[in-house]
Amino acid sequence: MIQGGTYRGWELHAGTTANGGSSTGLTVWLLDTYASNAIQVSSSVNVLNNTWHHTAFTYDGSRTGAGIKIYIDGAPAAATVTLNSLTGTVANGTAAELNLGTRQNGANHTFTGLIDEAAVFNHALTPAEVLQIYTGGAGSLLQP
């Protein structure tokens, strides 16, 4: 996600209270222009409790909050849609490349904790695939 201006891009954030997010849960943003052209989906399941958690989200391309699914420890998590008006694009070219643990160039919202085995897939994972990754690691989807 670009830090500042339109904030175009996407983000999986732990512990934000913006727009009704949970201070200990996960929030997913897909943004063309914050907050008028954006989707925000949040789960209140506590992932900041000093315990390892497998976290994942999927998006089906529908431009709706219902198209985002959040998973914690292999299971779908109840989630609330608080922004649901994406009509533009989240693509930002090279303005904000993929960052782990922070926003563009370490600009803001730095995650304090440990991250292990990050993966990005070229399709929306099914619930069964998320569970498979939780139990066997991201490489388990590549096994015959």
Side-chain angles (χ1 to χ4, degrees):
M1 178 184 300
I2 296 171
Q3 175 61 33
T6 65
Y7 293 90
R8 181 174 287 154
W10 62 272
E11 182 173 87
L12 172 64
H13 191 104
T16 182
T17 57
N19 305 309
S22 169
S23 64
T24 60
L26 294 177
T27 296
V28 176
W29 278 300
L30 300 179
L31 306 168
D32 175 78
T33 305
Y34 183 79
S36 62
N37 194 346
I39 297 172
Q40 178 179 327
V41 177
S42 301
S43 172
S44 62
V45 175
N46 187 353
V47 296
L48 297 178
N49 59 357
N50 294 316
T51 302
W52 276 102
H53 291 283
H54 175 265
T55 62
F57 80 94
T58 62
Y59 173 59
D60 65 6
S62 65
R63 297 181 183 262
T64 67
I68 294 176
K69 304 296 182 216
I70 296 175
Y71 297 86
I72 299 170
D73 297 332
T80 303
V81 177
T82 53
L83 297 175
N84 200 17
S85 61
L86 183 65
T87 59
T89 181
V90 300
N92 57 38
T94 59
E97 296 174 342
L98 181 64
N99 292 282
L100 298 177
T102 189
R103 222 176 249 174
Q104 175 193 18
N105 299 323
N108 208 352
H109 300 289
T110 301
F111 175 71
T112 302
L114 301 171
I115 299 172
D116 182 44
E117 196 173 15
V120 177
F121 295 88
N122 64 357
H123 66 281
L125 300 175
T126 66
E129 288 173 320
V130 173
L131 181 60
Q132 181 177 341
I133 292 168
Y134 172 63
T135 58
S140 68
L141 285 185
L142 305 175
Q143 303 301 319

